[in-house]
Structures are given as C-alpha cells and as structure tokens.
Amino acid sequence: MSGRLDGKVVLINGAGSGLGRESALLFAAEGAAVVVTDLIPERVDRVVDEVTAAGGQAVGAKADVREPQDSVDAVALAVDTYGRLDVLMCSAGVPEEGFGTLAFEEISVEGFTSMLATNLTGVFLAARAAVPVMKRQRRGTILAVSSMAGYVAYPGFPGYAAAKHGVNGLVKGMSLSLGGDGIRVNALCPAHGMSANFAMPPDAEVLGKSYEQMQPWDAAATSIPLKLDRPPTLRDNANAALFLVSDESAYISGVCLPATDGGNLARTSIIFPGDLGGDAGVLPPRLAEEISEA
C-alpha cells in the first residue's frame, strides 16, 4: 500500500518533541525519509530510533534554528543522505518569557528578541537554507508551524502574537517570491491539540500529549465550540500538516490554515481561564498540577 509521502525527503526542525515529533512519526509512516533536528541531541536520537523501529527511514542532527549555519548543515545532511529535499517543516518554537505571567512592561528586551529569533527569524533562516536546493529541483514545499496567535492575540503573550503574525506574513511573502520556482509555502495555525511540553523546561520528559489530554476531558466544560467525545491531540495537527506537505494540496500556497480550531475563529478569539476571572495566561490549576507531576 503506497503512502502519501512515498519518495519524499522531509526535513523537520524542532522535531524532538511536540508537533515536530508527531509529524516525523506520521510522515515516515506515510513513506517519507525524515531528517530530524532539534536543540536537544537526546531527543533527536530518540525520534530517529522511533522512526526506524517502526520500519521508516530517518537521520538526525542537533541544530539551533537561531544559528544560520545549523540550518545550512541540516539541508546538507538531507541532500547528502537522500539526494534531495522535498519538504521543509519549521516546527521549532519557544513560548513568551514568563509564559503569560509577566506584565507587558516586565518583558525583557533579551527575552523578546530571543523568542523572535527562534519563532520568526528561525523560519526565515531555515527557508533561506532550503530554497537553493528546491530551486534546483524546480519543486519544493515549505510549511511553517505558526499558531492561532497569528490571527488573534492570546492574553499575556503579546510578543508571541507578534512573532506568529510575522510568520504568517513571511509565508505569504515567500509564496509570491518562490512560486515561480515551483515552491509552495504555507503555515499551519493550531489552536488546540498542542504539546504540553511547550509549557515545560527543554530537558523535561517528552510526553507526546496535548494540553487537553493532560486532564480529564469534559466536552461540556471546554471553551471549544465544537463538542466531541475526545480531546484534540497532536495527531490532529499532524494530520493537517500531512495534507499541506502532500501532493493533495499541490495548488495551495500562501495559506495560513487554522487547525484544531473547533469553531473558535468563528467568534474571533479563544476563551482562556484569565478571560473568565482568573489570572491572564495562567494555566488552570488542575492542568498545571498534571503537567508538574508528569
């Protein structure tokens, strides 16, 4: 049975955990040869082992998306190992300094610029490294993992919203600049079903679960308008990513696709605990406890 990515070579940065890891596992299962990079070498090795243990193809390397040469080296690893590069997925990301607990004027210049360096400039650097190879092939796909914060602001995350709005703008601009060379560029903008590891230290255990999976699921209690009998998961977002990097979306470019939105965009924003009378940006106590104990 053929896979949706048979014969494709995919480079995913930030693939040691979260959506990057989930996409690496899914894409490999769909026939892709996967190049895994992450800032944490142990996470790289673990994902490569997971892919190969399941019968897929994968190589990996430590890479910091803030360093231009690391992206160049990652592209070279893909080409040297597999002879080409069909897909770049930019999944590396970091949260706002203080994770929503700081007043705006307390956010440091260093924290703000460091977050931008990963979440926005990192996308530019990775794409800049991949484009020469894709131009020679006259074909390629770039997928940036943005956020629903690229559409609306999250309480306590002003810089993060700025970065993700920037990613969406960069994607639209690149699609115009690169379309003549057969290169598609899109963004995935998840709302829910994202990694609980995002709220944890970089060296924390990889949970492979969404925030919503870290607590008992009650569809009636959630702020998500769509009511289903299970919580949104990382795989829900990875499935959307799979569509955007596959040939099924061959004529989609310059699109920022809301994923796992569940109807939130219809009312223009997401309800957070802080919007209901608590502290803006602070996780619900039960969820914070689940994450701390994991």
CSV table of all heavy atoms in Angstrom, one decimal, residues 196 200 207 209-216 231 286-287 289-294:
chain,number,residue,atom,x,y,z
A,196,ALA,N,1.9,19.7,25.5
A,196,ALA,CA,2.1,20.1,26.9
A,196,ALA,C,3.5,20.4,27.2
A,196,ALA,O,3.8,21.2,28.2
A,196,ALA,CB,1.5,19.1,27.9
A,200,MET,N,6.9,23.4,29.5
A,200,MET,CA,7.8,22.7,30.4
A,200,MET,C,9.2,23.0,30.0
A,200,MET,O,9.5,23.5,28.9
A,200,MET,CB,7.6,21.2,30.3
A,200,MET,CG,6.2,20.8,30.8
A,200,MET,SD,5.8,19.0,30.4
A,200,MET,CE,6.8,18.2,31.6
A,207,LEU,N,6.3,14.1,26.6
A,207,LEU,CA,5.0,13.4,27.0
A,207,LEU,C,4.2,12.9,25.8
A,207,LEU,O,3.5,12.0,25.9
A,207,LEU,CB,4.1,14.4,27.8
A,207,LEU,CG,4.8,15.0,29.1
A,207,LEU,CD1,3.8,16.1,29.7
A,207,LEU,CD2,5.1,13.9,30.1
A,209,LYS,N,1.7,14.4,24.5
A,209,LYS,CA,0.3,14.6,24.7
A,209,LYS,C,0.0,16.1,24.6
A,209,LYS,O,0.9,17.0,24.8
A,209,LYS,CB,-0.1,14.2,26.1
A,209,LYS,CG,-0.1,12.7,26.3
A,209,LYS,CD,-0.6,12.3,27.7
A,209,LYS,CE,-0.6,10.8,27.9
A,209,LYS,NZ,-1.1,10.4,29.2
A,210,SER,N,-1.2,16.4,24.2
A,210,SER,CA,-1.7,17.8,24.2
A,210,SER,C,-2.0,18.3,25.6
A,210,SER,O,-2.2,17.5,26.5
A,210,SER,CB,-2.9,18.0,23.2
A,210,SER,OG,-4.0,17.3,23.8
A,211,TYR,N,-2.2,19.6,25.7
A,211,TYR,CA,-2.7,20.2,27.0
A,211,TYR,C,-4.0,19.5,27.4
A,211,TYR,O,-4.2,19.2,28.5
A,211,TYR,CB,-2.9,21.7,26.9
A,211,TYR,CG,-1.7,22.5,26.7
A,211,TYR,CD1,-1.4,23.1,25.4
A,211,TYR,CD2,-0.8,22.8,27.7
A,211,TYR,CE1,-0.3,23.9,25.2
A,211,TYR,CE2,0.3,23.6,27.5
A,211,TYR,CZ,0.6,24.1,26.3
A,211,TYR,OH,1.7,24.9,26.1
A,212,GLU,N,-4.8,19.4,26.4
A,212,GLU,CA,-6.2,18.9,26.7
A,212,GLU,C,-6.2,17.4,27.1
A,212,GLU,O,-7.1,17.0,27.9
A,212,GLU,CB,-7.1,19.1,25.5
A,212,GLU,CG,-7.4,20.5,25.1
A,212,GLU,CD,-6.3,21.1,24.2
A,212,GLU,OE1,-5.3,20.4,23.9
A,212,GLU,OE2,-6.4,22.3,23.9
A,213,GLN,N,-5.2,16.7,26.7
A,213,GLN,CA,-5.1,15.3,27.1
A,213,GLN,C,-4.5,15.1,28.5
A,213,GLN,O,-4.5,14.0,29.1
A,213,GLN,CB,-4.2,14.5,26.1
A,213,GLN,CG,-4.8,14.3,24.8
A,213,GLN,CD,-3.9,13.6,23.8
A,213,GLN,OE1,-2.8,14.1,23.4
A,213,GLN,NE2,-4.2,12.3,23.5
A,214,MET,N,-4.0,16.2,29.1
A,214,MET,CA,-3.3,16.1,30.4
A,214,MET,C,-4.3,16.3,31.5
A,214,MET,O,-3.9,16.3,32.7
A,214,MET,CB,-2.3,17.2,30.5
A,214,MET,CG,-1.1,17.0,29.6
A,214,MET,SD,-0.2,15.5,29.9
A,214,MET,CE,0.5,15.8,31.5
A,215,GLN,N,-5.6,16.4,31.2
A,215,GLN,CA,-6.6,16.5,32.3
A,215,GLN,C,-7.8,15.7,31.8
A,215,GLN,O,-8.0,15.5,30.6
A,215,GLN,CB,-7.0,17.9,32.5
A,215,GLN,CG,-7.4,18.7,31.3
A,215,GLN,CD,-7.6,20.2,31.6
A,215,GLN,OE1,-7.9,20.5,32.7
A,215,GLN,NE2,-7.3,21.0,30.6
A,216,PRO,N,-8.7,15.3,32.7
A,216,PRO,CA,-9.9,14.6,32.3
A,216,PRO,C,-10.7,15.5,31.3
A,216,PRO,O,-10.9,16.7,31.5
A,216,PRO,CB,-10.7,14.4,33.6
A,216,PRO,CG,-9.6,14.4,34.6
A,216,PRO,CD,-8.6,15.4,34.2
A,231,PRO,N,-10.6,14.7,23.4
A,231,PRO,CA,-9.8,16.0,23.3
A,231,PRO,C,-9.1,16.1,22.0
A,231,PRO,O,-8.8,15.0,21.4
A,231,PRO,CB,-8.9,15.9,24.5
A,231,PRO,CG,-8.6,14.5,24.7
A,231,PRO,CD,-9.9,13.8,24.4
A,286,ARG,N,-5.7,22.6,37.8
A,286,ARG,CA,-5.7,21.1,37.6
A,286,ARG,C,-4.7,20.7,36.5
A,286,ARG,O,-4.0,19.8,36.6
A,286,ARG,CB,-7.1,20.6,37.3
A,286,ARG,CG,-7.2,19.1,37.4
A,286,ARG,CD,-8.7,18.7,37.3
A,286,ARG,NE,-8.9,17.3,37.6
A,286,ARG,CZ,-10.1,16.8,37.7
A,286,ARG,NH1,-11.2,17.5,37.6
A,286,ARG,NH2,-10.2,15.5,38.0
A,287,LEU,N,-4.7,21.5,35.4
A,287,LEU,CA,-3.8,21.2,34.3
A,287,LEU,C,-2.3,21.5,34.7
A,287,LEU,O,-1.4,20.7,34.4
A,287,LEU,CB,-4.1,22.1,33.1
A,287,LEU,CG,-3.2,22.0,31.9
A,287,LEU,CD1,-3.0,20.5,31.5
A,287,LEU,CD2,-3.7,22.8,30.7
A,289,GLU,N,-1.1,21.3,37.7
A,289,GLU,CA,-0.7,20.2,38.6
A,289,GLU,C,-0.4,18.9,37.8
A,289,GLU,O,0.6,18.2,38.0
A,289,GLU,CB,-1.9,19.9,39.5
A,289,GLU,CG,-1.5,18.8,40.6
A,289,GLU,CD,-2.7,18.6,41.5
A,289,GLU,OE1,-3.6,19.4,41.6
A,289,GLU,OE2,-2.6,17.6,42.3
A,290,GLU,N,-1.2,18.6,36.7
A,290,GLU,CA,-1.0,17.4,35.9
A,290,GLU,C,0.4,17.5,35.2
A,290,GLU,O,1.2,16.6,35.2
A,290,GLU,CB,-2.0,17.3,34.8
A,290,GLU,CG,-3.4,16.9,35.4
A,290,GLU,CD,-3.6,15.4,35.6
A,290,GLU,OE1,-2.6,14.7,35.2
A,290,GLU,OE2,-4.6,15.0,36.1
A,291,ILE,N,0.7,18.7,34.7
A,291,ILE,CA,2.0,18.9,34.0
A,291,ILE,C,3.2,18.8,34.9
A,291,ILE,O,4.2,18.2,34.7
A,291,ILE,CB,2.0,20.3,33.3
A,291,ILE,CG1,1.0,20.2,32.1
A,291,ILE,CG2,3.4,20.6,32.7
A,291,ILE,CD1,0.8,21.6,31.4
A,292,SER,N,3.0,19.4,36.2
A,292,SER,CA,4.1,19.4,37.1
A,292,SER,C,4.4,18.0,37.6
A,292,SER,O,5.6,17.7,38.0
A,292,SER,CB,3.8,20.3,38.3
A,292,SER,OG,2.7,19.8,39.1
A,293,GLU,N,3.4,17.2,37.6
A,293,GLU,CA,3.6,15.8,38.1
A,293,GLU,C,4.1,14.8,37.0
A,293,GLU,O,4.5,13.7,37.3
A,293,GLU,CB,2.3,15.3,38.7
A,293,GLU,CG,1.9,16.0,40.0
A,293,GLU,CD,0.5,15.5,40.5
A,293,GLU,OE1,-0.1,14.7,39.8
A,293,GLU,OE2,0.1,15.9,41.6
A,294,ALA,N,4.0,15.3,35.8
A,294,ALA,CA,4.3,14.4,34.7
A,294,ALA,C,5.8,14.1,34.6
A,294,ALA,O,6.6,15.0,35.0
A,294,ALA,CB,3.9,15.0,33.3
